[in-house]
Amino acid sequence: MARLGRTPYRPSPLMDIEAFIERFEKGLEAMEPLPLAYARRRYDRLCASFAPPDPVGMTRIDDQVAGTKVRRFRPARARSGSVIYLHGGGFTLGSLESHHGIAANLAERLGREVVSVDYPLAPEHRFDTMVVACQRVIDTVRPVGVMGDSAGARLALEVCHSSLSGLVYPPVNGLNLDTLGPDAPLLSRQDVLALAPLCPALSSAIPTPRPRGPVEVLSVEHDPLTAPLIQEIVRWRRAGGDIGDRVAPGMVHAALHAHDTLWNMKHAWQDFCQACRRHLDEG
């Protein structure tokens, strides 16, 4: 069923990064004693609490593609071509609800339909099952771009496509205590290393495969994933990759949820989306 965003957009009051960290940390702490199913719902509500209203005229349709639930976001004036969005959440959390605000805003900024994918999660499913589900959606939709944040950005690196890749703080290969940056609020080095059993390639010494098409990357200053990501970007460029990147100063992992209220994240997200849109418009 299609739903139309009718709430007039009013800019949200700006939030400082310390307030965001405190609020998000409290939300994560409240999840710790809960069974996974309840923790997932709590995570969805936590992330959604930072989202602005849907842009005016945005149509939302819950659908199923190749056996996987998706949510289609179509702006009032959409150009041809769809973009796939793969949500973050450490491969165990996240859904269409947790990243609704991000996907809706992305659709508005790109001026194209965004198809958000509710791929299967661990521990119920293996990493290769996640990749297969995402690949089937991509093969069916035939998007002009594949984008994602965190774990979803890693999945965007795993699937086969030659279109634009839009990556927000993706974990790359070769992650260990020597390559990771320092601990940061909301994501420690140990948090990152705990992902390796869920995505074995993260601890592999084999370099991360370079996407075939153009790549735009958004990372944040305070995140142990940023240092190895920057090294990977250097390697991709040396191999001839068309890579654009920017780092949001003062920001932390998960700050994308507050892209409407954190000043530096808002501007970095806007720059990232504008760069992605240029690629798409140029075809």
Side-chain angles (χ1 to χ4, degrees), residues 58-172:
M58 178 72 64
T59 303
R60 185 193 89 182
I61 301 174
D62 287 339
D63 196 2
Q64 200 169 81
V65 174
T68 297
K69 292 179 181 178
V70 302
R71 181 166 294 167
R72 298 177 181 271
F73 297 87
R74 190 171 180 83
R77 297 180 178 179
R79 303 188 65 172
S80 62
S82 298
V83 171
I84 295 292
Y85 192 81
L86 306 175
H87 67 76
F91 305 111
T92 62
L93 301 171
S95 71
L96 303 178
E97 303 301 333
S98 62
H99 287 63
H100 178 107
I102 294 169
N105 189 265
L106 180 64
E108 184 73 6
R109 290 187 179 277
L110 297 182
R112 286 169 172 81
E113 178 186 65
V114 166
V115 181
S116 182
V117 181
D118 198 22
Y119 58 86
L121 300 175
E124 299 94 325
H125 301 277
R126 292 165 51 92
F127 183 72
D128 55 359
T129 303
M130 303 179 203
V131 175
V132 168
C134 294
Q135 187 68 61
R136 285 176 176 164
V137 173
I138 289 166
D139 291 343
T140 302
V141 173
R142 295 190 174 186
V144 294
V146 178
M147 304 188 183
D149 70 284
S150 195
R154 178 65 205 204
L155 286 167
L157 285 168
E158 295 288 333
V159 293
C160 295
H161 69 99
S162 56
S163 57
L164 169 70
S165 294
L167 310 173
V168 181
Y169 33 67
V172 296

Side-chain angles (χ1 to χ4, degrees), residues 128-249:
D128 55 359
T129 303
M130 303 179 203
V131 175
V132 168
C134 294
Q135 187 68 61
R136 285 176 176 164
V137 173
I138 289 166
D139 291 343
T140 302
V141 173
R142 295 190 174 186
V144 294
V146 178
M147 304 188 183
D149 70 284
S150 195
R154 178 65 205 204
L155 286 167
L157 285 168
E158 295 288 333
V159 293
C160 295
H161 69 99
S162 56
S163 57
L164 169 70
S165 294
L167 310 173
V168 181
Y169 33 67
V172 296
N173 289 7
L175 301 182
N176 56 54
L177 292 176
D178 293 326
T179 59
L180 288 168
D183 288 341
L186 304 184
L187 192 68
S188 70
R189 289 148 60 91
Q190 289 302 324
D191 291 335
V192 174
L193 295 178
L195 296 176
L198 304 178
C199 177
L202 295 182
S203 57
S204 169
I206 299 172
T208 312
R210 177 171 61 87
R212 298 183 200 172
V215 182
E216 289 295 336
V217 180
L218 169 56
S219 58
V220 290
E221 181 180 1
H222 303 298
D223 183 343
L225 294 175
T226 299
L229 173 60
I230 290 173
Q231 292 303 310
E232 203 65 81
I233 290 171
V234 170
R235 191 183 67 81
W236 289 344
R237 284 184 175 140
R238 286 175 179 164
D242 178 7
I243 319 292
D245 74 293
R246 69 280 303 143
V247 179

Side-chain angles (χ1 to χ4, degrees), residues 3-8 53-60:
R3 296 189 175 102
L4 201 59
R6 299 183 184 279
T7 307
D54 285 356
V56 173
M58 178 72 64
T59 303
R60 185 193 89 182

